[in-house]
Amino acid sequence: MKVAIAGAGAVGRSIARELLRGGHRVMLLERQLDHIDPAAIPDAVWVHADACELSLLENAQLETYEVVIAATGDDKTNLVHSLLAKTEFGVRRVVARVNDPRNEWLFDESWGVDVAVSTPRLLASLVEEAVSVGDLVRLMTLRQGQANLVEITLPADTQLAGKPVRTLVMPRDTALVTILRGGRVIVPQADDPFEGEDELLFVTSVEAEEDLRLTLATHGIKP
């Protein structure tokens, strides 16, 4: 894919390196001239441009990119860049960094954001996930579809152990997408059995999340 990243600070550069290792083409947009260092990431395209300046984004041909990542350290800049990318350039996928969790409510489809990533929120979720067996933990909000990525770790003595995946009847607008078991990533099939200490990843609508909690409770997992 062609990916444009606004902000060539530590976060933007780290993302660029990971994407380049994955074989993607990357453009870094940076407003501050002293932050531009093509030698640091020679395989990326470096552009000196304000992420909120429409004419400069046109010169950078942002419309030719499939994904835009607003990764600056300023939430206002990330919001404006996301909106321009979606509305003016028709970028299919816009991911935005949330620096201040108090601004998280702004990062939704009305500002052109498909996925909002809040580092403090994500770290808190990972801590909860690490210590909360049997609790449903929200890992990420997928804003455009108003859906959540949620996780639950089954207790070692779960009632679901040995039972097939089809036993767990999903609420509407909910899907079990992955089972993490030890070092394995399992795409669940109807006849696959659950095991104690499985980590289950679901995508669920906001409205269906409580129904998922209740469904799990019927199998002896506390909501």
Side-chain angles (χ1 to χ4, degrees), residues 1 29 38 46 75 89 95 104 118 160 163 170 176 183 191:
M1 294 184 297
L29 297 164
W46 290 74
D75 284 345
F89 297 95
V95 180
E104 191 174 354
S118 170
L160 287 172
K163 296 181 180 178
M170 295 294 103
L176 173 62
D191 293 328

Side-chain angles (χ1 to χ4, degrees), residues 57-78:
L57 298 179
E58 289 174 345
N59 291 339
Q61 298 183 314
L62 197 65
E63 71 278 1
T64 66
Y65 286 78
E66 297 158 275
V67 179
V68 158
I69 302 174
T72 79
D74 183 79
D75 284 345
K76 295 187 294 295
T77 298
N78 290 344

Side-chain angles (χ1 to χ4, degrees), residues 120-139:
R121 175 81 64 184
L122 182 58
L123 288 173
S125 295
L126 290 173
V127 169
E128 290 179 346
E129 186 271 334
V131 300
S132 302
V133 174
D135 288 328
L136 197 65
V137 178
R138 183 179 299 175
L139 297 180

Side-chain angles (χ1 to χ4, degrees), residues 159-180:
Q159 295 178 14
L160 287 172
K163 296 181 180 178
V165 165
R166 63 173 179 272
T167 303
L168 196 59
V169 180
M170 295 294 103
R172 183 178 178 181
D173 299 328
T174 300
L176 173 62
V177 293
T178 304
I179 298 174
L180 304 179

Side-chain angles (χ1 to χ4, degrees), residues 2-80:
K2 292 181 68 178
V3 183
I5 302 172
V11 173
R13 292 188 187 196
S14 296
I15 296 170
R17 291 189 184 98
E18 289 297 321
L19 290 171
L20 288 166
R21 276 195 285 268
H24 303 291
R25 289 175 287 173
V26 174
M27 174 175 66
L28 280 162
L29 297 164
E30 175 54 51
R31 179 177 61 85
Q32 299 185 55
L33 193 58
D34 59 347
H35 284 186
I36 294 180
D37 184 10
I41 310 178
D43 293 330
V45 175
W46 290 74
V47 176
H48 181 216
D50 188 323
C52 300
E53 182 59 52
L54 184 60
S55 62
L56 297 178
L57 298 179
E58 289 174 345
N59 291 339
Q61 298 183 314
L62 197 65
E63 71 278 1
T64 66
Y65 286 78
E66 297 158 275
V67 179
V68 158
I69 302 174
T72 79
D74 183 79
D75 284 345
K76 295 187 294 295
T77 298
N78 290 344
L79 284 170
V80 172

